[in-house]
Amino acid sequence: MAHATARHILVDSEDACNTLKAEIENGASFESVAQANSQCPSGASGGDLGKFGPGQMVPEFDKVVFSGDVGVLYGPVKTQFGYHLLEVTSRG
C-alpha cells in the first residue's frame, strides 16, 4: 500500500497562506513558520504529520500529497479546515 509523510501549515485565509509561502520561499524555515503560525496542533512539531496512506486525509490534501513531487512547497490548498501550505517529505 502506498504511504507518504508530509508537513503542513494551516491558516484561515488564502492571503495569510500566500504571505507565509513567500516567507519560506525567501529562506525562512518551514518548521519555524509552522510553529509560529499554524492553527493545527501539528504546528508545535514543525507541521509534521507523520506517515499516512491514501484516504486518511481530506481529498484535496490527498490529491496533492499522492500526485505532487516530493520536496516541493504546495499551496494554498483549500480544505474544509482552511488553507494549507504543504510539503511531501517522502512517499513509498
Side-chain angles (χ1 to χ4, degrees):
M1 181 176 142
H3 67 273
T5 60
R7 56 188 183 173
H8 83 135
I9 299 169
L10 174 64
V11 294
D12 59 6
S13 76
E14 189 171 5
D15 285 344
C17 202
N18 281 320
T19 297
L20 297 177
K21 185 175 187 179
E23 286 181 25
I24 294 167
E25 288 173 337
N26 288 321
S29 83
F30 191 102
E31 293 85 356
S32 64
V33 172
Q35 289 169 345
N37 297 280
S38 186
Q39 297 171 356
C40 179
S42 69
S45 60
D48 183 23
L49 295 169
K51 183 176 173 178
F52 54 92
Q56 289 185 270
M57 301 292 180
V58 292
E60 302 90 342
F61 204 92
D62 255 20
K63 181 179 179 185
V64 175
V65 170
F66 290 100
S67 66
D69 293 329
V70 173
V72 175
L73 182 62
Y74 291 97
V77 175
K78 187 179 188 313
T79 72
Q80 67 199 42
F81 301 105
Y83 293 85
H84 305 259
L85 287 178
L86 64 100
E87 180 184 10
V88 181
T89 50
S90 72
R91 191 168 45 232

